[in-house]
Amino acid sequence: MTLQTIKQSSTNQVLLGKSLEELTTWIQEQGQPGYRGKQLYQWLYQKGARSLLDISVFPKQWRSKMADYPLGRSTIHYRSVAPDQTRKYLLRLADGLIIEAVGIPTSKRLTVCVSSQVGCPMDCDFCATGKGGFTRNLKAHEIIDQVLTVQEDFEQRVSNVVFMGMGEPMANLDEVVSAVKSLNQDVGIGARSLTVSTVGIPGKIQQLAQYRLQIVLAVSLHASNQALREQLIPSAKKYTLDHLLDECRDYVQVTGRRVTFEYVLLAGVNDLPENAKELTHCLKGFQTHVNLIPYNPISEVDYQRPRNHRIREFANVLEQANIAVSVRYSRGLEADAACGQLRASKV
Ligand code: SAH
């Protein structure tokens, strides 16, 4: 076996992401009694074990023998704290690649923004992540690890997880669904407090619906008509706005859950009152919530964030059509940790 295949096979066997039953089976295969499965489960998901050596309730000799067995944890390569207390993390994965996660505290909650890929293949014009290209999909345990890392660093339970970091979750659906299930069942985060955000890939929203998860699906629309959407999002050419909205309607039917929509506001591009009006037509029939995200600047393009009165005006048009709307001023702007600013190169 080459070094590369050893590495790969060991990442396939990491313990993070396994259920209580799977951990119990695994530990029995290692010649340990079954009840140690529960202990392992607690140390892995609740007590922050980073190595089997950490698990002090296990026999010393066995721990030493197994010290190098991969649990699936990353290491913190860099951390920065914004004035609003948002913390941005660059995490080093087992193969040396770096991803970003963000911890966003509010008075009662701790939200983690997780990455689902290293880089992103979608290349949306206004987003920093796509500018660096796409490297690989994350494994479920690499997503779960981000949540545990932030939880341990804040010493506070994570209440919400949003898949709004680097990457397109629908391009890595199987691993994202495994991570969602484990975050819910093993880490203990309510399904309704988990949000998966997507710009849309044909057939994937339909596929996600089949799992009937109680999560929130957020769809990045960003445009009120096909031509504008194609201008901002290259993948929109092959996946029309109509097709995307059809899949969203089916999703609501199958899951009984609402879909929320995100709309990045770019001054003079998609923020005109006509765009708002057009958007209300697109969203007819949806019981929905629109999150307006005033553009966060990135260096490669020169879009502008609209002035506040334009943002207000846009929101008013939606409200008048009985569409619930929030304006999301992204947290963490000063740490380059806001929506669309995530890239792995910042050190
Ligand atoms: N790929 C997924 C999730 C990643 S980004 C998606 O597209 O939904 C999370 C949200 O941040 C998306 O709605 C994305 O379009 C938005 N975003 C990207 N770049 C941004 C920027 N520069 N300013 C504000 N929001 C941005």
Side-chain angles (χ1 to χ4, degrees), residues 120 126-128 163-165 167-169 197-199 218 220 222 262 264 293-298 339-341:
C120 185
F126 46 82
C127 180
F163 283 72
M164 295 186 185
E168 170 46 52
S197 177
T198 179
V199 72
S220 292
H222 308 326
E262 289 151 285
V264 172
I293 316 172
Y295 169 66
N296 299 311
I298 63 165
C339 290
Q341 293 186 315

Side-chain angles (χ1 to χ4, degrees), residues 124-168:
C124 301
D125 202 35
F126 46 82
C127 180
T129 306
K131 305 289 174 202
F134 168 70
T135 307
R136 72 165 170 89
N137 283 332
L138 292 185
K139 291 286 188 191
H141 74 267
E142 292 170 321
I143 298 172
I144 302 161
D145 163 76
Q146 298 172 55
V147 176
L148 294 180
T149 298
V150 176
Q151 179 158 287
E152 288 154 17
D153 190 54
F154 273 85
E155 296 182 349
Q156 183 187 337
R157 281 193 73 85
V158 167
S159 57
N160 298 71
V161 175
V162 295
F163 283 72
M164 295 186 185
M166 299 167 80
E168 170 46 52

Side-chain angles (χ1 to χ4, degrees), residues 26-274:
W26 179 82
I27 208 144
Q28 284 171 328
E29 284 165 6
Q30 309 304 315
Q32 292 293 317
Y35 70 87
R36 295 214 182 276
K38 181 101 188 266
Q39 293 174 326
L40 176 57
Y41 184 74
Q42 283 166 344
W43 279 79
L44 206 53
Y45 291 106
Q46 311 298 336
K47 297 192 177 188
R50 293 188 154 265
S51 150
L52 288 172
L53 211 51
D54 293 340
I55 306 181
S56 54
V57 290
F58 284 175
K60 218 169 183 172
Q61 220 180 0
W62 187 75
R63 278 196 281 153
S64 315
K65 189 178 89 180
M66 300 296 283
D68 291 333
Y69 195 91
L71 299 197
R73 298 302 310 264
S74 66
T75 52
I76 298 181
H77 173 65
Y78 175 82
R79 189 191 83 156
S80 67
V81 183
D84 67 8
Q85 298 309 310
T86 294
R87 298 184 196 173
K88 177 172 99 166
Y89 304 83
L90 294 184
L91 304 179
R92 186 188 296 280
L93 305 174
D95 61 3
L97 292 173
I98 303 280
I99 52 161
E100 289 209 8
V102 183
I104 308 158
T106 51
S107 57
K108 290 204 186 97
R109 294 187 196 167
L110 176 57
T111 298
V112 184
C113 176
V114 294
S115 296
S116 54
Q117 297 181 313
V118 185
C120 185
M122 305 311 286
D123 201 21
C124 301
D125 202 35
F126 46 82
C127 180
T129 306
K131 305 289 174 202
F134 168 70
T135 307
R136 72 165 170 89
N137 283 332
L138 292 185
K139 291 286 188 191
H141 74 267
E142 292 170 321
I143 298 172
I144 302 161
D145 163 76
Q146 298 172 55
V147 176
L148 294 180
T149 298
V150 176
Q151 179 158 287
E152 288 154 17
D153 190 54
F154 273 85
E155 296 182 349
Q156 183 187 337
R157 281 193 73 85
V158 167
S159 57
N160 298 71
V161 175
V162 295
F163 283 72
M164 295 186 185
M166 299 167 80
E168 170 46 52
M170 294 293 149
N172 186 19
L173 190 57
D174 292 348
E175 297 296 320
V176 164
V177 167
S178 301
V180 160
K181 287 183 178 167
S182 175
L183 289 172
N184 178 227
Q185 286 159 21
D186 308 320
V187 183
I189 300 168
R192 286 160 195 249
S193 305
L194 300 169
T195 300
V196 172
S197 177
T198 179
V199 72
I201 293 189
K204 292 291 175 178
I205 293 176
Q206 211 173 22
Q207 205 178 320
L208 176 67
Q210 302 309 317
Y211 291 100
R212 292 182 168 72
L213 302 169
Q214 294 295 297
I215 58 169
V216 179
L217 176 65
V219 174
S220 292
L221 222 49
H222 308 326
S224 54
N225 61 62
Q226 177 63 17
L228 187 54
R229 200 159 189 271
E230 281 184 22
Q231 187 188 319
L232 301 173
I233 302 168
S235 63
K237 289 188 187 69
K238 292 208 179 107
Y239 188 34
T240 62
L241 191 53
D242 286 344
H243 186 184
L244 170 62
L245 291 170
D246 277 347
E247 268 198 61
C248 292
R249 270 185 277 271
D250 289 347
Y251 182 88
V252 172
Q253 276 250 306
V254 173
T255 61
R257 301 280 300 153
R258 290 183 194 179
V259 173
T260 65
F261 293 96
E262 289 151 285
Y263 195 101
V264 172
L265 285 170
L266 308 164
V269 176
N270 67 356
D271 70 332
L272 309 175
E274 298 91 278

